[in-house]
Amino acid sequence: MLICCDTILEFEGNILEKPENPKHCIEMMSSLVGKWHKVFSAHELIFNTKPNLLRYSWVVEAEAMFGEIPLESLEEYSKTELPYSHSGGYELFGLSGSFIKAIKGSVSSVQGIDIYELSHFLIKGMKEAGWV
């Protein structure tokens, strides 16, 4: 079995990927303060049911909004390695999770993997593969 997930953000019609440098990180994250942005988490679940593969693919959309973030906090955060491995420069369950004021939709998909949908497809796939 193989589980793959990736997340990307959309804000005001633009795709927000990983920040390139501290200045870009601060600009990107500052722009999200007090405004909703979309979080898209794409998933692929593959079962090896020799001789075939059983595949499920789905995308979950949620929305998130940052509360007020002091500039000093963003400056210090941008000096760490944390923002540069996440779309939008943040992750829900890390240090930057404290920046998030509200979420609409799947909380776990904002982190990057929708646990509810994954569990549904895991059960369905295991049944179809004859594993349970």
Side-chain angles (χ1 to χ4, degrees):
M1 177 181 1
L2 176 66
I3 302 171
C4 303
C5 306
D6 204 359
T7 302
I8 198 157
L9 307 182
E10 183 270 325
F11 178 64
E12 296 182 344
N14 297 305
I15 299 298
L16 300 182
E17 296 187 21
K18 299 170 186 166
E20 299 169 5
N21 54 51
K23 181 180 180 217
H24 185 224
C25 176
I26 293 167
E27 288 171 356
M28 183 185 311
M29 295 182 80
S30 294
S31 72
L32 300 176
V33 170
K35 299 176 185 170
W36 290 102
H37 61 278
K38 293 181 181 180
V39 181
F40 296 95
S41 294
H43 306 74
E44 180 85 13
L45 175 60
I46 303 171
F47 294 89
N48 186 356
T49 57
K50 297 177 185 176
N52 302 312
L53 296 178
L54 182 58
R55 302 173 76 125
Y56 300 96
S57 301
W58 68 99
V59 176
V60 177
E61 178 183 340
E63 293 184 69
M65 178 179 29
F66 285 177
E68 291 298 320
I69 309 169
L71 180 58
E72 182 180 335
S73 296
L74 281 178
E75 289 171 343
E76 291 303 313
Y77 178 70
S78 73
K79 294 176 186 175
T80 71
E81 74 281 352
L82 299 172
Y84 307 103
S85 60
H86 302 285
S87 296
Y90 74 92
E91 62 177 329
L92 179 63
F93 298 117
L95 176 65
S96 54
S98 65
F99 302 154
I100 300 170
K101 180 178 181 178
I103 294 174
K104 294 179 188 174
S106 170
V107 173
S108 64
S109 72
V110 173
Q111 177 59 27
I113 183 169
D114 188 281
I115 301 301
Y116 175 80
E117 293 288 335
L118 176 61
S119 64
H120 166 79
F121 285 112
L122 280 170
I123 292 167
K124 182 178 180 178
M126 288 189 292
K127 286 180 180 177
E128 286 185 31
W131 294 1
V132 292

